[in-house]
């Protein structure tokens, strides 16, 4: 069977089939276009040698085309690794076929780098592998780079630096023209790529630099037509990372204030300064840590002499933790283990615990487990129904998954309690456990029939259409992996991520930065707000305050939900840091936070007015208020104003106090002029609105698929105007298709 490079496309055919003969030229073109990116194969089902293979994939007619994704899944019953096949039912021409294959490529093996700190973390994560850095102006990873990263991820680490957010890294590496690809070797030397930006050439270049089966291993034969060999079961095996890899090793107490302010628990292993760095003690602790699991954030701290000096800030902090400062001076390599409890503001809790047990991982894990908060509910036949029916979000999220552990123990294991703590608040998920064998839980166990004990099951309640609790059904997702903290956490985080993404909730900083970028410079303003077609929805936000984080998260959630099918895009700016931005839009300090809808092409904008609820103290940028504003923009119910000039982003241009900004909405000051504290004049309603502007921008090209979204919204809000706009959108679509047929420059 084929081993795909990232993804593959396989045709099952018979030589006598006329349709197969007609497809052959297009299929060869697909193979040529995807060379180095995916394997394109064909199976002759007329050949008796292939009978079992054709039967395995249910081939009943010719030609049958099967698509395979980049990753293998494990059969939970047989343990066999295989790739799931999906029938292709689209057009039988080269481009749709190639698009269907590349659509299955993912960027899971690509790290986004925006700062020197990101680069350092990326190098550590690489584990000795050479690091591939792509410097690009594109916001999304291209299919070519995705394919390369999936093929060679076991021998190379792949990173991507975008020209806006990663300006510091662009300067550090001296990158001029983009795209540019540089490989950083394990010894720190750099190897730039100077060949053509085509898959075969790039594949040969990177394969030659890939690490052997060290770190994560390079797999075998990563070249030519079999460049996906890293996925083959008979290739070199990848040694696992050290069992203690979750332990963070630091050189001072600089992280302590942050750890104490956080709600999460933390474990500190402290030792003093010594000539050999307490090497033996550190290795002994790491060995013990390898026997336990990553239940809490664990730090191995090498204390400097200054932290032990009498009367020093460090000595005071150590005494507050319950550490013996004198012992750390006398016997610096005798480790002291301190557990920081669950709850924010730990210094006020005064509940630090010091470990005095045997120096082995299992005893240490049991000790930590005793202190974990009981966030998982014990279920029996009476409590199971109400628990499964609860929705912590009260309908704000699309699902309310329940992670349920079936165990023989008479209390929740520490590992499961740690899972409930680690995923607290993620994905609307609730945690519970059932004691199998208990008379009070017999019916619950019988209802869900766990295949083994202990086992973990994710239950997805599905309410009955009529709302009758008795008609509730349950979707079940068993967990088949090892019952270890890291593996189970990864599984549950993926479930939570899917629920969050479907609900428009953002809990991924990388995704938030991508869909809702912060603008701090003129270049970023052009990249994220004025250059893309469509409307820019720019949040003018506060940097601090009780509601600041909530306002950003609310807008980021909307940005994620609208990312694929909307005719507008989101970004935000720390408003008080850039006075000229506030002046340009006529926004006062008392107006913050607010949202601006900007058409840079037509130099017109609208500012979101504070809703009535805000005047009573509610959140100003609530999802409901923002949605009403956006609908008003798209439906032509929001008045617009002329923009004198695009705002300028200048350092040292911060707004002090609550001074206002005039000029854009009838004031006398132009952007960049001295600030005015007077209120701006009321906006003047124009004879056209932003819905007209948006329709023109969509018609102008560059917003593929967004005209449809515009049409849908306007049909609801302006029935009469919808017909005209739909016609304009169709005309636009035809123009785009004609443009799309022209040759376009390929970039990584």
């Amino acid at each position: 069977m084929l081993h795909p490079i990232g993804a593959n496309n396989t045709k099952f055919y018979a030589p006598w089939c006329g349709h197969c003969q007609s497809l052959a030229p297009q299929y060869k073109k697909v193979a040529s276009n995807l060379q180095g990116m995916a394997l394109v194969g064909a199976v002759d089902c007329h050949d008796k040698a292939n009978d079992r293979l054709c039967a395995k994939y249910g081939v009943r007619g010719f030609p049958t085309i099967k698509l395979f994704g980049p990753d293998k899944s494990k059969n939970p019953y047989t343990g066999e690794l295989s790739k799931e096949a999906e029938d292709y039912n689209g057009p039988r021409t080269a481009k749709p076929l190639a698009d269907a294959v590349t659509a299955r490529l993912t960027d899971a093996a690509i790290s986004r780098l925006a700062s020197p700190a990101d680069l350092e973390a990326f190098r550590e994560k690489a584990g000795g592998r050479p690091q591939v850095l792509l410097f690009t102006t594109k916001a999304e990873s291209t299919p070519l780079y995705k394919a390369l990263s999936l093929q060679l991820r076991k021998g190379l680490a792949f990173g991507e630096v975008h020209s806006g957010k990663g300006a510091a890294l662009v300067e550090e590496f001296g990158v001029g023209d983009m795209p540019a690809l540089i490989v950083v070797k394990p010894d720190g030397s750099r190897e730039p790529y100077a060949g053509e930006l085509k898959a075969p050439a790039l594949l040969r270049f990177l394969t030659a630099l890939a690490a052997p089966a060290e770190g994560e291993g390079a797999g075998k034969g990563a070249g030519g037509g079999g460049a996906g060999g890293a996925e083959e079961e008979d290739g070199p095996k990848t040694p696992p990372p050290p069992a203690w890899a979750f332990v963070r090793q630091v050189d001072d107490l600089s992280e302590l204030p942050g750890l104490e302010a956080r709600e999460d628990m933390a474990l500190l292993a402290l030792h003093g300064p010594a000539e050999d760095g307490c090497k033996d003690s550190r290795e002994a602790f790491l060995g013990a840590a390898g026997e336990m699991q990553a239940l809490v954030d664990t730090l191995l701290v090498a204390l400097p002499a200054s932290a032990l000096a009498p009367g020093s800030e460090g000595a005071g902090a150590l005494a507050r933790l319950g550490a013996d400062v004198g012992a750390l001076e006398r016997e610096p390599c005798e480790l002291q283990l301190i557990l920081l409890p669950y709850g924010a503001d730990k210094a006020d809790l005064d509940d630090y615990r010091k470990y005095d047990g045997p120096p082995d991982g299992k005893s240490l894990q049991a000790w930590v487990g005793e202190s974990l908060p009981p966030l998982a509910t014990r279920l029996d036949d009476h409590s199971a129904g109400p628990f499964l029916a609860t929705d912590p979000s009260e309908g704000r999220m699309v699902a309310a998954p329940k992670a349920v552990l079936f165990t023989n123990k008479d209390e929740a294991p520490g590992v499961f309690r740690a899972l409930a703590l680690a995923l607290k608040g993620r994905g609307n998920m609730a945690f519970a456990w059932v004691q199998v064998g208990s008379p009070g839980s017999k019916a619950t166990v019988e209802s869900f029939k766990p295949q083994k004990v202990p086992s973990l099951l994710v239950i997805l309640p599905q309410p009955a259409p009529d709302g009758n609790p008795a008609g509730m059904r349950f979707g079940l997702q068993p967990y088949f992996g090892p019952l270890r903290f890291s593996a189970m956490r990864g599984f549950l985080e993926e479930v939570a991520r899917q629920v969050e993404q479907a609900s428009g909730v953002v809990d991924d900083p990388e995704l938030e930065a991508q869909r809702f970028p912060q603008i701090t410079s003129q270049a970023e303003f052009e990249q994220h707000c004025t250059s893309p077609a469509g409307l820019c929805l720019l949040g003018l936000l506060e940097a601090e305050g009780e509601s600041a984080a909530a306002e950003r998260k609310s807008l980021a959630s909307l940005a994620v939900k609208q990312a694929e099918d909307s005719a507008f895009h989101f970004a935000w700016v720390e408003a008080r840091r850039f006075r000229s931005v506030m002046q340009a839009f006529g926004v006062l300090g008392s107006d913050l936070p607010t949202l601006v809808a900007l058409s840079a092409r037509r130099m017109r904008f609208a500012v979101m007015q504070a809703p009535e609820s805000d005047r009573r103290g509610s959140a100003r940028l609530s999802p409901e208020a923002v949605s009403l504003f956006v609908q008003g923009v798209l439906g032509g119910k929001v008045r617009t104003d002329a923009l004198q000039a695009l705002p300028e982003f200048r350092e040292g241009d911060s707004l002090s106090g609550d001074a206002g900004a005039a000029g854009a909405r009838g004031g006398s000051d132009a952007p960049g002029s001295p600030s005015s504290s007077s209120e701006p004049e009321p906006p003047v309603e124009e004879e056209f609105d932003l819905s007209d502007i948006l329709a023109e921008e969509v018609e102008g090209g560059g917003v593929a698929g967004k005209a449809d979204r515009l049409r849908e919204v306007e049909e609801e809000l302006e029935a009469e105007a919808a017909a005209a706009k739909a016609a304009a959108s169709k005309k636009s679509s035809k123009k785009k298709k004609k443009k799309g047929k022209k040759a376009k420059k390929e970039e990584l």
Side-chain angles (χ1 to χ4, degrees), residues 558-615:
L558 286 172
V560 170
K561 290 182 72 173
Q562 301 290 348
E564 301 301 328
D565 62 353
S566 168
F568 44 83
H569 43 281
F570 286 79
W572 73 280
V573 61
E574 184 182 323
R576 294 182 186 273
R577 180 178 167 188
F578 299 103
R579 179 178 58 183
S580 61
V581 175
M582 297 178 64
Q583 286 180 324
F585 298 121
V587 173
L588 300 173
S590 57
D591 294 331
L592 301 178
T594 191
L595 190 65
V596 174
L598 169 65
S599 170
R601 180 186 174 195
R602 293 293 300 270
M603 295 294 286
R604 302 199 67 82
F605 72 99
V607 177
M608 178 179 172
Q609 300 300 312
E612 290 296 327
S613 59
D614 176 58
R615 300 187 179 100

Side-chain angles (χ1 to χ4, degrees), residues 709-732:
R709 170 62 177 165
L710 170 64
R711 189 169 61 250
E712 290 174 7
V713 176
E714 291 179 341
E715 282 174 353
E716 296 176 1
L717 301 175
E718 298 287 345
E720 294 181 359
K725 293 185 184 296
S729 297
K730 290 180 180 178
K731 181 179 179 182
S732 158

Side-chain angles (χ1 to χ4, degrees), residues 416-673:
F416 190 67
R417 293 163 68 184
L419 284 172
L421 177 60
L423 279 84
K424 182 176 178 289
R426 287 293 312 275
N428 204 24
M429 187 178 296
F431 287 76
W433 61 283
V434 179
Q435 184 180 14
V436 177
S438 170
S441 60
K442 184 175 181 180
T444 302
V445 175
E446 182 62 27
S447 295
F448 295 104
K449 296 181 174 60
Q451 296 181 2
K452 61 179 183 177
V453 179
S455 66
L456 176 64
L457 189 66
V458 173
I459 302 172
L460 293 167
Q462 301 170 358
D466 59 2
N468 185 356
M472 180 173 287
R473 297 174 177 269
F474 301 100
L476 305 180
Q477 177 61 61
Y479 168 72
F480 296 108
L483 294 176
R484 293 188 61 81
F485 177 81
S486 297
M488 291 190 291
R489 178 174 181 170
F491 167 75
L492 294 174
E493 282 182 334
E494 177 60 23
V495 173
R497 186 194 65 79
Q498 292 179 10
V499 172
E500 290 167 348
Q501 188 167 349
S503 305
V505 175
V506 179
D507 202 64
D508 182 346
E510 186 172 309
L511 179 62
E512 181 174 342
Q514 179 182 355
R515 300 300 190 196
F516 188 49
Q518 181 182 5
I519 294 175
T520 60
S521 67
Q522 199 69 30
E524 291 175 349
F525 181 60
E526 294 174 2
Q527 177 186 357
H528 298 302
C529 202
T530 65
S531 294
L535 291 179
C536 174
L537 294 177
L538 182 65
L540 303 186
L541 308 181
E542 300 276 17
E544 300 176 352
E546 294 182 3
S547 62
E551 304 282 11
R552 285 197 297 271
K553 189 168 288 293
S554 176
L555 288 176
S557 298
L558 286 172
V560 170
K561 290 182 72 173
Q562 301 290 348
E564 301 301 328
D565 62 353
S566 168
F568 44 83
H569 43 281
F570 286 79
W572 73 280
V573 61
E574 184 182 323
R576 294 182 186 273
R577 180 178 167 188
F578 299 103
R579 179 178 58 183
S580 61
V581 175
M582 297 178 64
Q583 286 180 324
F585 298 121
V587 173
L588 300 173
S590 57
D591 294 331
L592 301 178
T594 191
L595 190 65
V596 174
L598 169 65
S599 170
R601 180 186 174 195
R602 293 293 300 270
M603 295 294 286
R604 302 199 67 82
F605 72 99
V607 177
M608 178 179 172
Q609 300 300 312
E612 290 296 327
S613 59
D614 176 58
R615 300 187 179 100
R616 296 192 297 269
S618 301
R620 180 175 299 198
L621 297 183
S622 67
E624 296 79 12
V626 172
S627 295
L628 286 174
F629 172 66
V630 172
Q631 288 175 1
V633 169
L634 294 177
K637 295 184 178 181
V638 171
R639 66 178 61 185
T640 69
D641 300 288
L643 189 65
Q644 296 179 5
L646 290 174
E648 298 180 6
F649 287 74
R650 300 186 296 268
E651 290 297 331
D653 188 34
S654 61
L655 181 73
S656 59
D658 196 41
R665 289 189 279 175
S668 60
D669 293 337
S673 63

Side-chain angles (χ1 to χ4, degrees), residues 21 53 129 137 186 250 284 302 320 338 456 539:
Q21 296 167 9
L53 187 60
R129 290 173 294 165
T137 60
V250 298
R320 186 180 71 252
I338 308 292
L456 176 64

Side-chain angles (χ1 to χ4, degrees), residues 34-377:
L34 297 181
Q35 183 181 2
M37 295 175 61
L39 287 178
V40 179
V43 178
D44 182 0
C45 291
H46 188 65
D47 187 340
K48 295 296 183 184
N50 294 326
D51 282 352
R52 291 182 61 186
L53 187 60
C54 296
K56 174 181 178 180
Y57 289 101
V59 177
R60 295 183 175 85
F62 305 108
T64 293
I65 300 176
K66 300 278 186 178
L67 301 175
F68 297 80
D71 295 316
K72 297 178 181 179
S73 58
K74 185 175 183 180
N75 186 307
Y77 304 104
T78 65
E80 178 186 6
L81 288 171
S82 62
K83 295 175 183 276
E84 293 187 5
E86 179 183 346
D87 286 324
Y88 173 78
N89 297 311
R92 303 298 177 91
T93 53
K95 188 177 186 306
L97 272 166
D99 289 344
V101 175
T102 57
R104 282 152 180 79
L105 299 170
T106 72
D107 59 358
I110 301 173
S111 298
R112 302 293 191 278
L113 311 178
S115 67
D118 290 346
L119 179 62
E120 187 60 31
F122 174 64
R123 287 171 175 168
E124 292 181 6
K125 184 179 177 182
R129 290 173 294 165
Q131 300 107 52
V132 183
L133 297 177
L134 172 66
F135 296 83
T136 177
T137 60
K138 291 196 172 184
E140 302 284 350
S141 300
T142 62
L144 174 54
Y145 198 55
K146 290 178 183 178
L148 292 170
S149 70
L150 291 169
Q151 294 173 63
L152 303 175
R153 58 186 168 184
K154 293 197 173 183
L156 297 165
F158 286 80
E160 194 168 283
V161 180
H162 296 291
S163 55
K165 286 288 186 180
L169 294 178
V170 172
E171 182 178 355
E172 178 181 336
F173 281 81
V175 175
D177 296 334
M178 297 188 192
L181 188 135
I182 299 174
V183 178
V184 181
K185 298 179 181 179
D187 62 2
S189 61
R190 300 173 181 177
E191 177 102 5
Y193 175 70
E196 62 175 354
L197 299 178
K198 300 293 183 182
L202 280 162
L203 192 58
R204 288 191 296 270
F205 171 77
L206 293 176
T207 299
L209 296 173
E214 297 290 332
E216 284 196 48
K220 71 173 190 175
E231 294 293 322
E232 298 181 17
E233 290 89 334
D234 55 351
K237 301 301 180 184
T238 300
W244 45 262
F246 65 89
V247 178
R248 295 193 290 129
Q249 302 184 49
V250 298
D251 297 325
D252 54 35
L253 288 171
S254 59
E255 291 195 40
L256 182 58
L259 293 173
E260 290 188 303
R262 249 172 37 186
E263 189 176 54
D264 298 337
M265 299 174 66
L267 177 65
L268 305 181
L270 310 167
H271 72 79
E275 290 184 3
D276 65 348
C278 297
K279 178 180 178 181
D280 292 342
S281 298
R282 294 175 66 88
E283 290 182 352
F285 174 75
L286 293 175
E291 299 175 3
M292 60 183 291
Q293 300 185 54
L295 304 187
V296 295
D297 192 6
T298 304
L299 285 76
L300 178 55
V301 185
L303 295 167
S306 58
L308 303 178
S312 67
E313 183 178 348
L318 291 169
R320 186 180 71 252
L321 293 175
D324 188 337
V325 180
L328 287 169
E329 290 182 302
R330 294 189 301 272
E331 300 289 342
C333 294
E334 291 290 331
L335 265 68
Q336 298 184 30
L337 274 63
I338 308 292
L339 184 65
L340 279 60
Y342 171 73
D345 299 322
K346 294 175 175 49
D348 297 331
L349 296 175
D350 194 23
D351 192 25
Y352 301 103
R353 297 181 62 200
K354 187 175 180 181
Y355 181 66
D356 296 318
D360 67 84
K362 293 182 179 179
S363 298
L364 181 56
Q365 177 171 315
W367 177 75
V368 171
E370 294 172 358
S371 299
L372 291 165
L375 300 179
T377 302

